[in-house]
Amino acid sequence: MKLTVFGATGGIGQEIVRQAVAAGHEVTAVVRDPARLAVPLSDITVHTAARVDDPEALREAVAGRDAVLSGLGSRGRKADGIAERLTRAVLAAMEAEGTRRLLVVSAAPLAPTPADEPLLDRMMLSMIGAVLKEVYADLTAMEAALAASATDWTSVRPPKLTNGPLTGTYRTVVGGNPRSGRSISRADVAHAMLALIGDRATVKQGVGVAY
């Protein structure tokens, strides 16, 4: 497949690029600084964009692609609307080029809590939500932009991210979260995103993913 990856120098983005190349996909990585890429530049196409919030600067990168995968978002507690702003630019570029499939990284607290979720896990989610309130507000706005778009989007919602290895063994729930799903590695989030590209049941849905 022909794939474009946004946020390709971030933790999840690097894993998407690495795993997609290993699987034989044709990968375009959209970056501000190619020197930060974790794979040989000879293995991928690099699209350098100084302004990732400018749809016109992104159109060439998404044109004719089978899917676009995004790891864009805040890297700290001060979101400043970054996920929504950058995702809106990606959506505008995709809609201008007629590219439909989009998978993005969101977060577990945006999904409904499982009815049988243990009290401890409910309390943990509530505490994390309070600490990262601004980040989750940004992701909520991002998901609203997805829902209003013409793309075939999927929002992948992991809980706590780790730097653990790729296992390929995790749980997914369409429209919710796995019960007591407390963590997952960035490598496995990337694996899930690549695996969900062709899953029509996840189109226009949030998907919880966790161990």
Side-chain angles (χ1 to χ4, degrees), residues 138-151:
D138 181 27
L139 293 175
T140 298
M142 177 194 74
E143 291 205 2
L146 293 174
S149 76
T151 62

Side-chain angles (χ1 to χ4, degrees), residues 65-69 90-91 94-95 98-104 145-156 193 196-207:
R65 313 310 284 178
D66 297 305
V68 174
L69 300 95
V90 173
L91 288 168
M94 291 179 64
E95 291 177 351
T99 303
R100 296 196 58 85
R101 190 68 173 117
L102 172 65
L103 298 96
V104 305
L146 293 174
S149 76
T151 62
D152 292 336
W153 58 270
T154 297
S155 178
V156 178
M193 292 177 73
L196 292 173
I197 291 174
D199 188 345
R200 300 303 300 175
T202 68
V203 171
K204 301 187 185 298
Q205 296 284 340
V207 180

Side-chain angles (χ1 to χ4, degrees), residues 1-8 13 16-17 20-21 25-31 37 43-48 58-65 67-69:
M1 289 187 290
K2 295 181 179 180
L3 307 177
T4 292
V5 182
F6 286 88
I16 295 173
V17 172
V21 169
H25 299 303
E26 182 181 314
V27 178
T28 296
V30 181
V31 297
L37 284 164
D43 292 343
I44 61 176
T45 299
V46 178
H47 182 92
T48 303
L58 307 180
R59 288 183 59 172
E60 181 182 352
V62 303
R65 313 310 284 178
V68 174
L69 300 95

Side-chain angles (χ1 to χ4, degrees), residues 58-135:
L58 307 180
R59 288 183 59 172
E60 181 182 352
V62 303
R65 313 310 284 178
D66 297 305
V68 174
L69 300 95
S70 172
L72 295 169
S74 171
R75 296 186 180 181
R77 296 182 184 180
K78 297 297 182 181
D80 195 29
I82 191 169
E84 177 195 12
R85 185 171 67 255
L86 299 186
T87 301
R88 283 189 181 278
V90 173
L91 288 168
M94 291 179 64
E95 291 177 351
E97 293 296 334
T99 303
R100 296 196 58 85
R101 190 68 173 117
L102 172 65
L103 298 96
V104 305
V105 179
S106 185
L110 273 69
T113 303
D116 59 348
E117 187 83 327
L119 178 59
L120 177 60
D121 292 294
R122 290 177 180 272
M123 292 174 62
M124 289 175 60
L125 277 175
S126 178
M127 291 169 54
I128 294 170
V131 172
L132 299 177
K133 181 179 179 180
E134 185 177 328
V135 172

